[in-house]
Amino acid sequence: MKNHPLRIIPLGGLGEVGANMMVYEYDNQLLVVDTGLMFPENDMLGIDYIIPDISYLTARRDKVKGIIITHGHEDHTGAIRHVLEEISAPIYSTPLTQGMLEVKLARSGMAQRAHLETIRAGDNRKIGPFSVDFFHVCHSIPDAVGLGIDSPAGLIVHTGDYKFDHTPVDNWPTDYAKLAEFQRRGVLALLADSTNSERAGWTPSERVIDSAFDKVFREAKGRIIIASFASLISRMQQVAEVAQRYGRKMAFAGTSMVDNEKIARKLNYLDIPENTIISLDEALNRKDRDVVIMCTGSQGEPTSILGKLSTGSHRIFDIKVGDTVVLSSHPIPGNEENVYRTINRLFERGANVIYESIAPVHVSGHASQEEMKLMMHLTQPKYFVPIHGELRQLKRHAALAAEVGIPQENIAVVLNGQPVEFFEGKMKLGKIVPTSYVFVDGSGVGNVGPDVMHEREELSQEGIMIVNLGVDKFTGKLSRPPEITSRGFIATNGSTNLVDGLRKRISETAVRSNGSLQKDVEQVVGNYLYSETHRRPIIIVNTFKA
Amino acid sequence: MKNHPLRIIPLGGLGEVGANMMVYEYDNQLLVVDTGLMFPENDMLGIDYIIPDISYLTARRDKVKGIIITHGHEDHTGAIRHVLEEISAPIYSTPLTQGMLEVKLARSGMAQRAHLETIRAGDNRKIGPFSVDFFHVCHSIPDAVGLGIDSPAGLIVHTGDYKFDHTPVDNWPTDYAKLAEFQRRGVLALLADSTNSERAGWTPSERVIDSAFDKVFREAKGRIIIASFASLISRMQQVAEVAQRYGRKMAFAGTSMVDNEKIARKLNYLDIPENTIISLDEALNRKDRDVVIMCTGSQGEPTSILGKLSTGSHRIFDIKVGDTVVLSSHPIPGNEENVYRTINRLFERGANVIYESIAPVHVSGHASQEEMKLMMHLTQPKYFVPIHGELRQLKRHAALAAEVGIPQENIAVVLNGQPVEFFEGKMKLGKIVPTSYVFVDGSGVGNVGPDVMHEREELSQEGIMIVNLGVDKFTGKLSRPPEITSRGFIATNGSTNLVDGLRKRISETAVRSNGSLQKDVEQVVGNYLYSETHRRPIIIVNTFKA
């Protein structure tokens, strides 16, 4: 059999597009690992979410042998429907991940189209030229897996998101034995999660939260409301345990929270006695000190349950004095303002708010520096490629690898679109593949590009001023006073003088203008508004003959 | 002499408006402490900055006896020109603060109008009915003061921004003796900075940065570029010292950085030998390993020097491989995305980037919890009012006061506009004074209100669609095809079908419509766009008779 190079092509997850997607390619056969989305940054105006450009895949759609989803988080699953619109290949995932994918696919009417293959940690599957070992990893969602991807070019360990939690809530630690086995077989390259590469030490175990929760329950006199990520199943388990200890019933609020709780219970990832769980309605009718409500909104999202509670705009319940609200989360960069605003508003409504800086009510799901080094020592790879992170995090992870003793020239820090190739035991960088952001806005995929984004930016900063001119079709002069409309510029009641001044200047311009009335008026309006207000709104001048 | 109540009225700095401004009022005479501005949050679109509503002052302009500025940071000085436009009263500040105010006032053409009174830490001044002791505090700018404000109603200690640094760079620690003296005189109330109330322990001394800087200079082979706050004079001093140790010359880049360096050197707050400082031009012409450049942009501001370097858009120099860039700062909440993006881009351009999570190159200028408790013990106030902070920080500071032993009923957590009154040794809350944000945008103050902000929000999310209809003045029917313009909606080249469909529906509507053509078309356009794109741009329909 002829040898081929193994190409690993990051389409997402490295550098700016945090939506994780990686392609493994051998002998013209492709394996996709993860199909993530990314939520927009604050200056990506009006965008719902961002997905990787998958044109590399669509150009090779018949060669895609399989898609592996390592776990059920949006940054690993969220683009699945966009991928399935183009690619037809079996999707390999663990039962919980599959349950979450099924909900997502059903919602976009794609359930029929998907061929879902259940795998379990410990399984091995042949997918095209690849022999894939799935191994269990701890993360902030149960049933996550890492991958040992073997091909004639060598064995690659792809960690997925992971941490080494010795006392996870589901008592299922990361599979050290499998990692050691890979090491015995010889690891050509380790591709490892870089998210927390700037954090020293070891990420605390999920278990450390228990005592903080215990204190909250011991001291709370009224209702307890706990906001967390909807997918953080282990946090539900922890709340359920302390709720039982203190004789409180537990309710869930928020569609995604309820969905995930149902799937997780059905598939036995949550162990909560039936009589501990009540409906939200029932919770609101019980005595305050007998209930705990888990809800969405720990990132301060204005439309989430907690967001609505903080502004008093929830349809069926309100914060009241005596409530204890726990934000069991850490703000994702970019969300800080929303999170802090939500906390301030909850305080203002009389709640006692407990959050990360007050008590250890959250831990990260990602490995910190000492765990990263352990991963390197366990697998002893020849080559190292940091994945899942911004460039600063990849660089830091690479520096850790060098500290551990991996030679600098065997470490590749690459960004999306930069293939890493392995042939006869040697690594080199391949020719760059075009990648980019694809913005998804409403039902449109990719029809909001840089130009539209730039217009939105301008509109958001200064607003728009629209001038309609009626022009006499014989004389070319104004046939009526200019009509002036604005949006997002300044309050019109405060600016009568401004509008009057504008009318006057437009009329004057129309008298002297010969030919390019529209352009002349545009310029005069722009100059006048800037001199009066030091602002430059978008200006649109329409002329019509009448 | 008849006794009067002392009223302390927060116009800014407590809760949402982080622009610090406090009014002390006794016997109908007012003393203003600080006149700050606040920079907009990410969703305050197009706003330059925010100032407190000062209508309480303008209604009493003849009663204002003085304005004290505790130090030269924008959140304490930035609204001075807006205040001086309404109020004419002497401004008391230390020499450095005054130097910075002079630059600011000269720039807005108000230098003539201001009556600046120089005070020094240790001074006492009678200002109306108040006897004010100015005492030195350490902070992230030199020459900061706290205040002992005495009146017949009692002695108030107003800390301003402070920390207890035992080894500050200028060797001038916070004035413990004066605080102890206040305690002996009897402190009615302590008003203390709450910024870091969520941080355990003691804020590290500025001196801890020295060894991190030393390592940077020891290891850097090429240029060193250090970004920091322009007002962080002590950081300039520290860089200068290590630069001399390693034989590098020092240059400054960025208007505000250069301004502050000049003022600070002129007034002897910076002790740098003349021959250590060179111009930026000269620095760029010297050998890389012989220079260090200090510049603005440590918050990732796109228009700052560092922001421009990160995008390769600076007018006179570029990042090159081998540069070491230090961000000597901590991201202010809301700036994280910009800061991390700047770091990533600098890495991408080949710089070695050193920032907070890599080495201790920054410390806070505000007291942490143990320092806050020390302040309470030193002054032993009867009453406690946390100032300078969001509600969550004020609450936390109040909880610390309770831990230290101040009775709960003697602690007042209040927000802007809530007067605190002291009469015959008792504290009570007064009648709320109207306060709010005033947005400053371009040259306009206050003419951008909630309605305009809401329009900008809508424009930024979905854009605008403008439809012009020519209507026959006799038949009321369309006299020509509709003209359709959009901004910030979707790329028009990708949406020919959409525009065609829209024209068709508008024409159909015009045929059936009788009377309210404009309204009918608005509705049809809105429904059609939503059904096709799931988006709701702002829609403006103009009709003109022709």
Side-chain angles (χ1 to χ4, degrees), chain A residues 41 198 341 355 455 488 544, chain B residues 41 198 341 355 455 488 544:
Chain A
E41 305 199 347
E198 294 175 347
R341 201 182 291 173
Y355 52 106
E455 288 175 2
F544 55 91
Chain B
E41 305 200 349
E198 294 174 348
R341 201 182 291 172
Y355 52 106
E455 287 175 3
F544 56 92

Side-chain angles (χ1 to χ4, degrees), chain A residues 41-43 45-46 198 333-334 336-337 340-341 343-344 347-348 355 357-358 390-392 395-396 415 441-444 447-448 452 455-456 459-461 463-464 466 468 480 485-491 532-535 538 540 542 544-546, chain B residues 41-43 45-46 198 333-334 336-337 340-341 343-344 347-348 355 357-358 390-392 395-396 415 441-444 447-448 452 455-456 459-461 463-464 466 468 480 485-491 532-535 538 540 542 544-546:
Chain A
E41 305 199 347
N42 280 313
D43 57 2
L45 300 168
E198 294 175 347
E336 291 85 355
E337 282 180 350
Y340 295 142
R341 201 182 291 173
I343 292 171
N344 288 329
F347 269 125
E348 214 167 335
Y355 52 106
S357 63
I358 293 188
E390 299 171 29
L391 183 50
R392 64 189 167 100
K395 287 268 188 185
R396 193 85 187 96
L415 297 179
D441 178 5
S443 61
N447 58 5
V448 173
V452 171
E455 288 175 2
R456 287 186 186 174
L459 287 167
S460 76
Q461 295 297 307
I464 189 168
I466 303 163
N468 285 318
R480 67 195 71 183
T485 316
S486 77
R487 288 288 187 281
F489 177 53
I490 52 174
E532 294 295 306
T533 68
H534 282 261
R535 276 174 255 179
I538 291 186
I540 294 192
N542 296 303
F544 55 91
K545 296 232 162 57
Chain B
E41 305 200 349
N42 281 313
D43 57 1
L45 301 168
E198 294 174 348
E336 291 84 355
E337 282 180 351
Y340 295 143
R341 201 182 291 172
I343 292 171
N344 288 329
F347 270 124
E348 214 166 336
Y355 52 106
S357 64
I358 293 188
E390 299 171 27
L391 183 50
R392 63 188 169 100
K395 288 267 188 186
R396 193 85 187 98
L415 297 179
D441 179 4
S443 60
N447 59 5
V448 173
V452 171
E455 287 175 3
R456 288 186 186 174
L459 288 167
S460 76
Q461 295 298 305
I464 188 167
I466 303 162
N468 286 317
R480 68 195 72 182
T485 317
S486 76
R487 288 289 187 284
F489 177 53
I490 52 175
E532 294 296 306
T533 68
H534 282 260
R535 277 175 254 180
I538 292 187
I540 294 191
N542 297 302
F544 56 92
K545 295 232 161 56

Side-chain angles (χ1 to χ4, degrees), chain A residues 491-512:
Chain A
T492 31
N493 53 2
S495 57
T496 339
N497 286 345
L498 190 73
V499 174
D500 289 348
L502 202 55
R503 280 221 178 81
K504 183 153 163 278
R505 268 152 195 87
I506 293 171
S507 303
E508 289 165 5
T509 309
V511 172
R512 355 176 221 87

Side-chain angles (χ1 to χ4, degrees), chain B residues 9-48:
Chain B
I9 305 152
L11 297 182
L14 303 188
E16 289 199 60
V17 184
N20 294 291
M21 186 179 297
M22 193 78 75
V23 180
Y24 286 76
E25 186 173 352
Y26 185 85
D27 190 17
N28 217 8
Q29 299 174 79
L30 280 61
L31 168 65
V32 178
V33 178
D34 289 327
T35 59
L37 63 73
M38 184 175 111
F39 292 103
E41 305 200 349
N42 281 313
D43 57 1
M44 297 173 183
L45 301 168
I47 298 301
D48 296 333

Side-chain angles (χ1 to χ4, degrees), chain A residues 15-203:
Chain A
E16 289 200 59
V17 184
N20 294 291
M21 185 179 297
M22 194 77 76
V23 179
Y24 286 77
E25 185 172 352
Y26 185 87
D27 190 17
N28 217 8
Q29 299 174 79
L30 279 61
L31 169 65
V32 178
V33 178
D34 290 327
T35 59
L37 62 73
M38 184 175 112
F39 292 102
E41 305 199 347
N42 280 313
D43 57 2
M44 297 174 183
L45 300 168
I47 297 301
D48 296 332
Y49 57 91
I50 297 155
I51 57 174
D53 174 357
I54 58 167
S55 51
Y56 188 84
L57 293 178
T58 52
R60 291 157 184 82
R61 54 164 57 93
D62 302 335
K63 318 291 191 196
V64 180
K65 299 301 171 190
I67 299 167
I68 295 172
I69 307 291
T70 58
H71 64 278
H73 282 153
E74 290 284 356
D75 59 333
H76 293 255
T77 65
I80 189 70
R81 77 177 177 93
H82 301 285
V83 173
L84 285 190
E85 274 167 12
E86 302 291 339
I87 311 288
S88 157
I91 300 169
Y92 299 83
S93 61
T94 59
L96 180 66
T97 307
Q98 186 173 320
M100 296 174 77
L101 284 173
E102 278 165 355
V103 172
K104 185 180 297 288
L105 290 168
R107 237 180 240 140
S108 44
M110 312 227 6
Q112 302 306 318
R113 227 148 130 177
H115 172 87
L116 298 175
E117 286 271 349
T118 313
I119 54 90
R120 288 187 164 75
D123 285 357
N124 173 283
R125 292 294 174 99
K126 292 285 290 178
I127 307 174
F130 304 103
S131 166
V132 181
D133 281 309
F134 299 86
F135 63 96
H136 182 69
V137 292
C138 294
H139 185 43
S140 43
I141 187 169
D143 222 6
V145 289
L147 311 170
I149 301 176
D150 211 353
S151 74
L155 172 63
I156 311 292
V157 175
H158 180 117
T159 66
D161 289 355
Y162 77 99
K163 67 187 277 195
F164 285 121
D165 192 335
H166 295 306
T167 52
V169 170
D170 63 4
N171 297 316
W172 193 3
T174 296
D175 190 346
Y176 302 90
K178 182 61 82 174
L179 292 168
E181 181 200 316
F182 291 145
Q183 182 262 306
R184 280 195 304 275
R185 285 160 57 187
V187 175
L188 179 62
L190 170 66
L191 276 66
D193 174 19
S194 310
T195 308
N196 275 355
S197 63
E198 294 175 347
R199 281 206 209 172
W202 193 289
T203 303

